[in-house]
Amino acid sequence: MTYLAKPKLHSADAPRNALGYTRRDYEGAISTLCAGCGHDSISASIVQACFDLDIEPHKVAKLSGIGCSSKTPDYFLGNSHGFNSVHGRMPSVLTGAALANRNLLYLGVSGDGDSASIGIGQFAHAMRRGVNMTYIVENNGVYGLTKGQFSATADKGSKSKKGVINSDSPIDLAMLALQLGATYVARSFSGDKEQLVPLIKGALRHGGPAFIDVISPCVTFNNHAGSTKSYDYVREHNAAVNRLDVILPKAQIEASYPPGSLRRVVQHDGSILHLRKVGVDYDPSDRIGAMNHLQERQALGEIVTGLLYVDSSGQDMHTHLNTVEKSLNQLGDAYLCPGSKALEALNAMLR
Amino acid sequence: MSTPAIQHCNDFVIKFANVNGSGSASANELFARAIIRMGVPVAPRNIFPSNIQGLPTWYEVRVTEAGWLGARGGCDMMVAMNPQTWDRDIAAIEPGGYLFYDSTKPLPPSKFRDDITVLGIPLTAMCNEEYEDARQRQLFKNIMYVGALIALLDMEFAAAEQLIVDRYRGKDQLIKANVNALRLGYDYAKQHLPCPIGLRVKRADAVGDRIMIDGNSACGLGAVFGGATVAGWYPITPSTSVIEAFSSYCRKFRTDPDNGRARYAIVQAEDELASIGMVIGAGWNGARAFTATSGPGISLMQEFFGLAYFAEIPAVIVDVQRGSPSTGMPTRTQQSDLLSCAYASHGDTRHVLLFPEDAYECFSLTAQAFDLAERLQTPVFVLSDLDMGMNEQLCAPFNWDDSRRYDRGKLMTYDELEAGKDFGRYLDVDGDGIPYRTIPGTHPTKGAYFTRGTTRNPYAKYSEIGTDYVYNMERLRRKFNTAKDLVPAPILKKAEQPTHVGVIYYGSTAHAMAEAGAKLAADGIHVDTLRVRAFPFSDEVMEFIAERDAVFVVEQNESAQLRTLLINEGEIDPKKLVRVLHYDGSPITARFIAGKIADALTDRKISPIGQPQRKVAS
């Protein structure tokens, strides 16, 4: 959220995607977050994912709540409409936007304070409602803008910068998303772009509620010994269950991947998720298995990352509502107003 | 009986005392509609508890050939079908009135009054004899008493019979059974009671082309005609039926005939916060969106109202007001959300409010609200109330001008952006305070902006600079002033004789006020009246006050909220505005208004121009 303009100059040799856009065309304003903030790495990953997928920036609507994480949509996709709403209530605003126009891509960005505390209700209901969106939580376990209070995702026993020990149990948003009916659930680490970018790409291609919990250390208030969301802790305890590649329908190059170690998942738009197994016997199509795995590993102090669950047959809110293909905000008067004749008939029935 | 029995034709009040959940509602409505079919206007009202079954409920039908549709107060005939409220119901009958009751179990004389006519029919016994099924015994008992009333009030049996045929068209067994019950009650009364009594219904021609519908259904229909495609809502009495009606009319009018798919989306949200959030998201994204709620919902939505106001996003909110504060009286009526809507949310917010007077305006003003919301890019509140929202009422037939086109407001198009037109989301290009907006997805490289609740400069860039904030606030004030010319104008009704006394009122008070005006005039008290239809107040409202010595402000709340708003916005001397307040949860009556105004004029020694000074009360 800055008023500083980003320099527009860029190299003429910069790589261009199929739309002719360079990576710079997917950037936004200069970040005002602290240097080294994990959130900026997530913004960079979103930029990379959208560039790689040849997404038209203006066909994306990016929405957020309030907090450091919710500032970030200003820092990527400068040609997209953005909406910084109120604390914890992004999901309902995004739901409304998605109802109005089903033909845009919806990217919801939230934080652990935003989604796990004040907004947990809206988070839960957006998941169960099946809103077609990519919902990213930039999870640092701490309230940054109000200077260092624990959030609801902070682990019990973890230490704040001031040395206070957290006595409350944490909320695991990935676990909640699994339970509530999200059809694409992933967790990653802001410092692992190689893992995160494909996960975002997979989510953007998913035709239903996609949730990604990204551990994103706060360099100012939560990147110290004793924190379980610091860079060092996450690097040491990261337990990836798989690695992901997204293959677009127009450029299927399956032959380049060795068979046997892959799991192939076809998404609603024809794109293919290639899951390279890391964890032994991990099955991302088993919702209950994913929940069990998360709990078992969490008890060992591990942070399970990767694509935790995917159901490519999942339906979205518009399917449930049986709405017309054309976006509701594009319907003209003739499609909306029944007219005077209909009213006269109605009047007759009311006499 | 020492008191003479009331003798009235086409001008009386009959009240039904029932038990909630006993299935009496449709029988009572059948009675009211049968009178309308005889060309006589009625004003029916439900008085019901915040409960599903078991507690007392009343249904009142004012038969009024003169067309006074407000509540009258009192009742000339009580149909006492609830032993639980017996004493209260007997006491409510006007001297000389009538009591109708189920005489299956004999009651001692002490249970009656000696100044009323008692009419007993052994309804339970008759039903037990006629029907085996317990539910049938209950339901047809209600139809039977309607049949008996038809005989007692000298009504046309055929009118009710035809209604049953119309209601159950295609279901012959139901028609037969209902008509049979109606006939049983009718015949019994004819044979055993002194038919007709002093209260009578005589065929007239006073209904005209009017229709009968409740205000909430009319709001739902208005939202369909107004082009609403998205509704986010959460159930709350008394607004729930607004969305139910919207849903029903959408299924009828907005289903794609080719594939059966919906040209609308309705989501029952998890709470009021989410419902208004959805409306704001949809409004931001270019759809016409609305919600319906009541006072507690308005309280919960406050933060979002501030966001929509400051970020300038169209939204329509139908607020069906009920008894407040807190949970208050959920099933009773009031006009007590005026201030909480006008200044909803923290900071210097001001919202556009519309005040329908009846079901017709529930339809027309709800439809208009969507144009206003998009033209002004702001939330617009339609302030109805329980009395108008949940009661069926006679009103003018709905009409629609097919040449009318939705006013989408200042939308910057792809072509305009492509042509290089300067786009500043919060730039006051036209001097009316209303900026231009773009809908997400409009143009690949131009017109995108960031919506936020924080201060920004005219180009939507985040700013904490004081002058940017002041520019924005002054522009919002300018926009609110622009709204004065766009909202519905007030309705002035001049007294038959010159007067320097005025009355201001709004909403559902209109019916009672019309009758009160006539009542006062008959007593030689002439008042000019002004029905306010919107906030911000147009200049006419302030001129009306300025041109009169005293202005009564009639409203249905305890703290005189409309008066406060007038004083605050018009910088009016409070002494000039006299409170007339009714807030016990029942609809205001003409008797109440006329009495209060007459008393106050006497106390203030104010007389109509050219008339002798009224006597001062001792």
Side-chain angles (χ1 to χ4, degrees), chain B residues 413-428:
Chain B
T413 64
Y414 173 92
D415 290 340
E416 288 168 329
L417 290 165
E418 192 65 16
K421 199 165 178 180
D422 184 25
F423 174 66
R425 173 66 184 96
Y426 298 108
L427 200 59
D428 189 1

Side-chain angles (χ1 to χ4, degrees), chain B residues 234-251:
Chain B
Y234 189 71
I236 182 170
T237 301
S239 71
T240 300
S241 53
V242 172
I243 301 293
E244 287 170 346
F246 179 67
S247 174
S248 164
Y249 288 126
C250 276
R251 279 196 299 275

Side-chain angles (χ1 to χ4, degrees), chain B residues 9 63 108 110 237 247 253 338 351 397 477 501 616:
Chain B
C9 181
V63 181
S110 60
T237 301
S247 174
F253 294 125
L338 201 59
H351 299 291
R477 173 49 106 167
V501 178
V616 180

Side-chain angles (χ1 to χ4, degrees), chain B residues 419-567:
Chain B
K421 199 165 178 180
D422 184 25
F423 174 66
R425 173 66 184 96
Y426 298 108
L427 200 59
D428 189 1
V429 179
D430 305 318
D432 57 3
I434 306 171
Y436 285 78
R437 66 175 180 141
T438 53
I439 301 300
T442 300
H443 192 282
T445 55
K446 298 169 183 171
Y449 68 95
F450 210 88
T451 302
R452 48 166 68 88
T454 42
T455 307
R456 62 277 155 149
N457 70 14
Y459 288 88
K461 298 292 180 196
Y462 176 75
S463 168
E464 293 187 19
I465 299 168
T467 48
D468 282 338
Y469 177 80
V470 170
Y471 169 85
N472 200 50
M473 293 306 288
E474 288 180 349
R475 185 181 52 75
L476 285 169
R477 173 49 106 167
R478 215 156 37 242
K479 183 164 87 168
F480 198 66
N481 286 336
T482 299
K484 279 185 186 180
D485 298 327
L486 300 176
V487 297
I491 308 270
L492 171 68
K493 194 177 170 201
K494 295 277 271 178
E496 285 175 11
Q497 293 184 22
T499 176
H500 39 226
V501 178
V503 183
I504 288 180
Y505 62 101
Y506 86 98
S508 65
T509 306
H511 293 311
M513 189 60 231
E515 188 179 356
K519 217 175 184 50
L520 287 165
D523 290 343
I525 301 172
H526 297 278
V527 293
D528 295 332
T529 63
L530 190 77
R531 179 164 71 88
V532 174
R533 293 204 295 165
F535 176 70
F537 303 122
S538 69
D539 293 341
E540 288 168 85
V541 177
M542 299 310 163
E543 284 161 13
F544 180 85
I545 296 168
E547 288 165 3
R548 283 157 186 85
D549 294 343
V551 174
F552 292 91
V553 183
V554 184
E555 48 187 321
Q556 301 184 58
N557 61 70
E558 186 271 340
S559 52
Q561 297 190 18
L562 178 59
R563 178 177 177 271
T564 301
L565 210 50
L566 288 164
I567 291 167

